[in-house]
């Protein structure tokens, strides 16, 4: 995956961030940082840690909307966070560079460093669109089994391997798939019994590729 500062030296990164009047915010683990992105004109670049964007549903359950890691982009222009149902939770101690979106789009310079940065952002946004489309493919499946199989297929394709390493625990997986955890666990057991998958910890081996 392309990084925001791909092909930029540390010196050029510092030059760029100064030009954009950016600043860095540091957050402790398990903190809701959504208030940091209420301004529609701010986006963040995660430089350390990772966060989950979650939605608190009316029935008391939660849905993981997105997981964002180091070098991912985050901010109001990229998220549906316009009401109190949403939270952005740090899952580790996290550092984020905050940049005003208008500082990026209003620069009138022809500079190799700045142009490379814009090119990187374009590729990242393109990847985010692909990821959201993949998520739609998963969530539109009608059964828990088909959601699991679609998730496994997409993860396997990204890895180029029949081996999948879950980035989170089964509870988070259920929240990511928007399904009941107990029902999902039963379906995973059925998939194991029927020879579709093998599981060892967070490692899943696909037997049906």
């Amino acid at each position: 995956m392309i990084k925001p500062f791909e092909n930029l030296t540390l010196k050029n990164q510092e030059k760029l961030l100064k030009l954009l009047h950016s600043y860095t915010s540091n957050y402790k683990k398990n903190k809701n940082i959504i208030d940091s992105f209420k301004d529609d004109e701010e986006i963040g670049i995660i430089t350390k840690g990772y966060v989950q964007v979650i939605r608190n549903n009316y029935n008391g359950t939660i849905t993981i909307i997105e997981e964002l890691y180091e070098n991912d982009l985050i901010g109001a222009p990229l998220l549906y966070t316009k009401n109190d149902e949403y939270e952005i939770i740090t899952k580790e101690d996290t550092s984020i560079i905050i940049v005003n979106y208008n500082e990026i789009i209003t620069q009138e310079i022809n500079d190799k460093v700045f142009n490379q940065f814009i090119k990187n952002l374009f590729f990242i946004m393109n990847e985010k669109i692909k990821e959201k489309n993949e998520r739609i493919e998963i969530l539109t499946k009608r059964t828990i089994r088909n959601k699991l199989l679609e998730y496994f297929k997409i993860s396997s394709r990204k890895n180029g391997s029949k081996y999948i390493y879950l980035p989170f625990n089964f509870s988070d997986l259920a929240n990511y798939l928007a399904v009941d955890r107990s029902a999902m666990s039963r379906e995973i057991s059925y998939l194991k019994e029927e020879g579709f998958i093998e599981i060892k910890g967070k490692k899943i081996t696909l037997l049906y590729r």
Side-chain angles (χ1 to χ4, degrees), residues 139-154:
L139 295 180
T140 52
K141 301 303 179 186
R142 293 185 177 274
T143 67
I144 294 175
R145 169 171 291 217
N146 286 341
K147 286 183 179 182
L148 284 165
L149 293 177
E150 186 68 19
Y151 174 78
F152 294 156
K153 182 180 76 173
I154 289 172

Side-chain angles (χ1 to χ4, degrees), residues 34-122:
I34 194 168
D35 287 341
S36 299
F37 301 100
K38 290 294 187 182
D39 189 339
D40 285 352
E41 297 178 355
E42 287 188 334
I43 62 171
I45 301 169
I46 300 174
T47 57
K48 173 188 172 184
Y50 83 98
V51 304
Q52 287 181 345
V53 182
I54 66 172
R55 179 175 180 175
N56 296 297
N57 302 313
Y58 69 91
N59 60 358
T61 63
I62 70 170
T63 301
I64 297 176
I65 302 300
E66 195 167 9
E67 288 215 326
L68 299 166
Y69 297 86
E70 186 175 331
N71 293 310
D72 270 327
L73 303 182
I74 185 172
L78 310 172
L79 302 169
Y80 295 100
T81 56
K82 294 300 185 181
N83 59 58
D84 294 335
E85 296 176 354
Y86 290 89
E87 295 180 353
I88 303 175
I89 306 297
T90 56
K91 305 302 288 184
E92 297 176 351
D93 289 353
T94 300
S95 297
I96 301 176
I97 295 174
I98 308 295
V99 181
N100 189 293
Y101 183 68
N102 282 331
E103 292 287 348
I104 298 174
I105 63 175
T106 58
Q107 293 293 332
E108 296 182 1
I109 58 174
N110 185 17
D111 177 87
K112 288 184 178 179
V113 173
F114 184 74
N115 290 342
Q116 180 64 54
F117 179 63
I118 294 298
K119 181 179 179 180
N120 293 342
L121 293 186
F122 174 81

Side-chain angles (χ1 to χ4, degrees), residues 124-169:
I124 292 171
M125 293 299 297
N126 189 48
E127 285 299 314
K128 289 182 73 69
I129 291 171
K130 289 180 182 178
E131 289 173 2
K132 289 182 183 298
N133 287 337
E134 290 170 350
R135 184 74 186 283
I136 290 171
E137 285 297 314
I138 293 169
L139 295 180
T140 52
K141 301 303 179 186
R142 293 185 177 274
T143 67
I144 294 175
R145 169 171 291 217
N146 286 341
K147 286 183 179 182
L148 284 165
L149 293 177
E150 186 68 19
Y151 174 78
F152 294 156
K153 182 180 76 173
I154 289 172
S155 299
S156 174
R157 185 172 66 232
K158 286 182 175 180
N159 293 341
S161 169
K162 65 179 181 180
Y163 302 109
I164 297 170
Y165 295 88
L166 293 178
F168 33 47
N169 58 37

